[in-house]
Every structure is written in structure tokens, then in C-alpha cells.
Amino acid sequence: MRTHITNIYGQSPSSTAMIAQNMVTEVAKSIGFNEIGIYSYPIHTDTPQEIRKRIDGMLAGVSNHDIVVVQLPSWNGIEFDELLINKLLGYSDIKIVVLIHDVVPLMFENNYYLMQRTIDLYNKAESIIVPSDEMLKTLKHAGLVVNSIAVQHVWDHVTNFDPKQPIFEPLINFAGSAVRFPFVQNWHSQTKLQVFSRSTISSLNEQVSYRGWLPDDDLLRQLTSGFGLVWSENIDNQSERAYSQRNISYKLSTYLAAGLPVIVNKGISNQSFITENNLGMIASSLSEIDQLIAHTTEEQYQDMANHVRQVGYLIRQGYFTKKVLIDTIHQLLTC
């Protein structure tokens, strides 16, 4: 018996989807998993037979009785994901675990028609790893019937970087697309906003500065003061705010790995995790940020930073991912 995990390649170096799957795979490999590489490509250029041949090559190291963790979506389309899962089901006594990063029908309104196919795909697994308790409720309401469930709660951000104690100042750091998150263009706060993004869009507020996209280690070194911001707004075809109540944010883990306390929108899926561990502050609207920071003392900030340092160590070492994978394998083999 061997354990395997899928991992995507071929996307942009700044693709959060690929970065997250690569990170999970590296953690899994550290505890004995074998990697199954999946390259992102336009599958509609292939016939179903050609796709099956590609999948045969990907699964060359898989045998009967193995355990395979499939990170979904593969971003090659649900047709590819269905063919992959169905191929795995052809192995004798195979145990399939679906590790959900995103649920495409919930991300994009015009893809909701794929919800039933997505649930049917999940139901073929023996075990599911979901991002949050709220996502689990949503999927069960849509028809998920898998009994073996584990909850990720927070992503890791594995790195050798060791942050220094952050500096308290009225500064907001935001790592994300200025196009996908339009509040960047309409920043009205007096608090400075530092944006790390490939997109540079003019802002009416001189408090906004663009730092460009940075490789991971460089970004972590720049996050040395103020707060990290996790914020979602609804945009065309994407109900980002509702989705943030179900998924978990990779940028949250980036800030915590860098040692920064955070400010997050109320209702975020891991709000209780943030408040119970004193990792930052919750805001109902961006208009509250100036007052939140104005009423925060140096002592309160450093107390949050000390708690962040403890949780950040777990995140940088991959302990949340190790735990959810080990718990899942243990449940599969002992029930």
C-alpha cells in the first residue's frame, strides 16, 4: 500500500491555485506521499481517448489497495476530473480522498449549473477534506453523502523564513489583484494601503501605493509592519463575499506566516479561529479601519503579534496540512 497526492503544474508562477496545491504536495511528500503530477493544458484539444492515455501515464505509479488524495479542482475542467476519478475507481480496493481547494460552481455564478456534477464527483470518494465547516454544510445541503470528513480550517504557508517582531503603524498590506478586488481602486481610508499586485490601477486616494507582484520570500520580507488585509467584495459573476464565508484564504496564511496581525471582513469562514487566537481584528466595512487602528494601542498590537508568531510557526512548518492528512489516513484505515 502506498499513498499518493495529485499536484498541478503549468499555470502562472503567481497562480494562487497552483501555489497552494504545490505547497500541500510538498507537505504530503514530507510524510511519505508520492506525487502525481498534472499539467494544466486545454483538454478540449484532445479526444477523450487521448485524455485517458494522459491519465494512464500520470497514474503509472498507482497500484491496487493504494490511497490517492486528489486535489480538486485540477483546473483542467470537470470533464478531466471525472475521467481521473473514474480511472482510479478501476483499481481494486483503491481509497480515494478528495481534498477541496475551491468549488468552481460556488466561485462563479455562471458555472453553478455544474454543481450537481461536482457533488456527484465528490460522492465517488471514500473521504473528503473540506476547507471549512460552512463549506461542509453547503455541500451536504447540495447532496454530499460522504461520511468520512476532515476540515482544513486554515492553509499552511511553508517557508524557512523567520519573521522579526512587526512594527505597529497605521498601514494596511494587501496581496491580491487590483482588478479582482476593486476596493483597492476606491480606497477612502486615511490609513495607508500597500498593494502587492501585478495590476496597477490609478486610485483617487494618494494613500495607496503599488509594490508590484513579488516572489514569495521577497513578499514575506516586505510584510514587516501594520496589518494584513483579507477582504472580499462581490463583483460581476463572482459572489466573493458569500464565497469567503465558505472557503479559506491563502493570503491570510501569507500574512500570518510573515508575522502580521490581520484585519478581515466579518463573516469570513475562519473568523472564530482569528478571534479565539487573538490574531487580529474583524471589520464589517472598510470604513471602520481607521477607527479600529486608532483605538489599538502598541501593547495590544504586540500582544496580537505574539499570538501570530505562535500560530505562524505552525503555518510555516506545514502542521495544519500534516494534521488533516494524517487524520484522514488514520480514519480511512481504522474505521
Side-chain angles (χ1 to χ4, degrees):
M1 178 187 293
R2 300 178 68 199
T3 53
H4 311 265
I5 187 166
T6 65
N7 187 22
I8 59 173
Y9 291 94
Q11 297 186 355
S12 163
S14 61
S15 165
T16 301
M18 187 176 73
I19 291 169
Q21 287 205 22
N22 291 174
M23 179 276 299
V24 171
T25 301
E26 288 307 307
V27 173
K29 287 164 66 176
S30 74
I31 55 175
F33 278 72
N34 173 62
E35 179 181 349
I36 299 172
I38 296 177
Y39 194 83
S40 294
Y41 77 105
I43 68 164
H44 297 296
T45 61
D46 283 354
T47 65
Q49 184 178 8
E50 289 172 329
I51 297 173
R52 290 187 182 95
K53 288 180 180 179
R54 286 181 184 265
I55 291 174
D56 286 341
M58 296 171 189
L59 302 181
V62 177
S63 301
N64 296 331
H65 315 295
D66 284 357
I67 298 171
V68 182
V69 175
V70 182
Q71 299 193 78
L72 291 181
S74 70
W75 298 106
N76 280 339
I78 193 167
E79 297 88 351
F80 179 93
D81 296 343
E82 289 170 335
L83 288 171
L84 176 64
I85 295 290
N86 289 337
K87 176 63 179 179
L88 286 169
L89 288 171
Y91 289 85
S92 175
D93 193 31
I94 197 80
K95 290 179 173 59
I96 300 172
V97 178
V98 166
L99 193 164
I100 299 173
H101 284 257
D102 280 302
V103 180
V104 173
L106 297 178
M107 294 179 72
F108 306 103
E109 294 173 4
N110 63 356
N111 279 330
Y112 192 79
Y113 73 97
L114 294 171
M115 192 63 182
Q116 189 57 57
R117 284 178 71 178
T118 301
I119 293 295
D120 292 343
L121 184 62
Y122 295 163
N123 281 334
K124 293 181 178 181
E126 192 160 340
S127 183
I128 300 283
I129 299 173
V130 296
S132 69
D133 292 316
E134 192 61 35
M135 180 66 83
L136 178 58
K137 291 178 186 177
T138 299
L139 297 179
K140 282 189 171 182
H141 182 74
L144 183 72
V145 295
V146 179
N147 292 319
S148 176
I149 302 288
V151 183
Q152 178 75 35
H153 292 301
V154 62
W155 291 123
D156 287 312
H157 191 118
V158 179
T159 176
N160 292 323
F161 177 74
D162 186 16
K164 297 179 180 178
Q165 193 76 356
I167 300 168
F168 177 43
E169 66 171 310
L171 172 68
I172 297 295
N173 298 277
F174 181 75
S177 168
V179 175
R180 182 179 171 189
F181 300 96
F183 69 83
V184 171
Q185 307 166 46
N186 303 301
W187 187 253
H188 299 299
S189 173
Q190 294 303 306
T191 304
K192 292 181 180 179
L193 175 66
Q194 185 170 232
V195 181
F196 299 90
S197 170
R198 286 191 183 279
S199 305
T200 302
I201 298 176
S202 60
S203 172
L204 298 177
N205 193 331
E206 61 182 11
Q207 298 294 80
V208 179
S209 62
Y210 289 91
R211 301 295 303 278
W213 178 84
L214 296 176
D216 186 61
D217 283 351
D218 292 340
L219 174 61
L220 293 177
R221 291 189 180 92
Q222 294 298 316
L223 298 174
T224 58
S225 61
F227 297 83
L229 179 65
V230 181
W231 203 265
S232 297
E233 291 182 326
N234 295 334
I235 58 176
D236 288 345
N237 192 39
Q238 291 180 254
S239 298
E240 292 274 4
R241 179 58 64 89
Y243 192 61
S244 74
Q245 297 171 3
R246 302 181 181 114
N247 79 326
I248 48 179
S249 168
Y250 190 74
K251 64 171 58 69
L252 171 65
S253 302
T254 299
Y255 302 138
L256 298 178
L260 286 188
V262 295
I263 295 176
V264 306
N265 57 266
K266 185 177 181 180
I268 192 172
S269 66
N270 34 26
Q271 177 177 323
S272 60
F273 175 80
I274 294 165
T275 55
E276 289 169 7
N277 289 284
N278 193 25
L279 305 177
M281 299 185 289
I282 313 298
S284 297
S285 71
L286 291 172
S287 62
E288 297 177 6
I289 285 181
D290 286 343
Q291 288 299 311
L292 281 174
I293 294 178
H295 288 91
T296 301
T297 66
E298 172 77 30
E299 183 180 6
Q300 290 172 327
Y301 179 85
Q302 294 304 336
D303 184 50
M304 285 187 283
N306 288 334
H307 284 85
V308 169
R309 186 168 186 83
Q310 294 180 120
V311 172
Y313 173 79
L314 298 175
I315 287 172
R316 292 192 300 274
Q317 298 300 314
Y319 279 115
F320 288 97
T321 303
K322 289 176 185 175
K323 183 179 187 305
V324 78
L325 290 174
I326 291 171
D327 287 349
T328 297
I329 301 303
H330 187 272
Q331 188 173 11
L332 279 176
L333 299 181
T334 57
C335 291

